[in-house]
Amino acid sequence: MTAELAVNIAWEPKIIAFCCQYCAYSAADMAGSMRLQYPTDVEIVLIPCTGRFDVILALRAMEKGADGVYVAGCLEGNCHFLDGNIRARKRVNFLKGELKNIGFEPERIEMFNLSASQGPRFAEIARDFTNRITELGPSPAKKVRNF
Ligand code: FES
């Protein structure tokens, strides 16, 4: 067995979910309370509002080994800081273009909106995004840095 094959067999996606402390994190909490299953590959990072999300956060996460990143915030029109989620969506769309320019699949970053009562939707997003990243395979950054 080659070393590369051994690495591929052992690979599991690492996903960072930047969740706003209001709706998205509450939905994650509800998913946990309801004992809904979602992949353990998703690591939640709590942020005050998705308006706090910055492209540097996503790029740093990818640099540190994340294969995919998503941002989860309140429903449009329901951000507790008025338009944080609108600004976050613009940043995510901007980053999709930049990732494409450097040879990354833009599908490795996504924005989701959900309400605090959508625990099942939170679990569904985590499962679907994990499946997406699993199909894409390891981040191109891992091939360059070999980690
Ligand atoms: Fe949830 Fe702004 S407080 S997205």
Side-chain angles (χ1 to χ4, degrees), residues 102-117:
I102 60 171
F104 283 55
E105 301 88 348
E107 296 84 6
R108 290 188 185 275
I109 176 99
E110 200 59 75
M111 170 89 196
F112 298 101
N113 299 88
L114 66 174
S115 74
S117 63

Side-chain angles (χ1 to χ4, degrees), residues 54-120:
D54 191 281
V55 294
I56 296 296
L57 290 175
L59 291 174
R60 189 149 296 150
M62 290 181 157
E63 182 189 37
K64 298 277 184 195
D67 300 293
V69 172
Y70 66 87
V71 183
C74 306
L75 294 172
E76 290 191 9
N78 286 345
C79 172
H80 291 65
F81 297 91
L82 302 178
D83 63 352
N85 49 6
I86 305 293
R87 287 184 283 123
R89 182 171 293 282
K90 286 181 184 168
R91 291 175 188 145
V92 166
N93 288 338
F94 169 79
L95 188 52
K96 279 178 176 283
E98 294 304 307
L99 287 180
K100 195 173 180 182
N101 287 340
I102 60 171
F104 283 55
E105 301 88 348
E107 296 84 6
R108 290 188 185 275
I109 176 99
E110 200 59 75
M111 170 89 196
F112 298 101
N113 299 88
L114 66 174
S115 74
S117 63
Q118 290 184 294

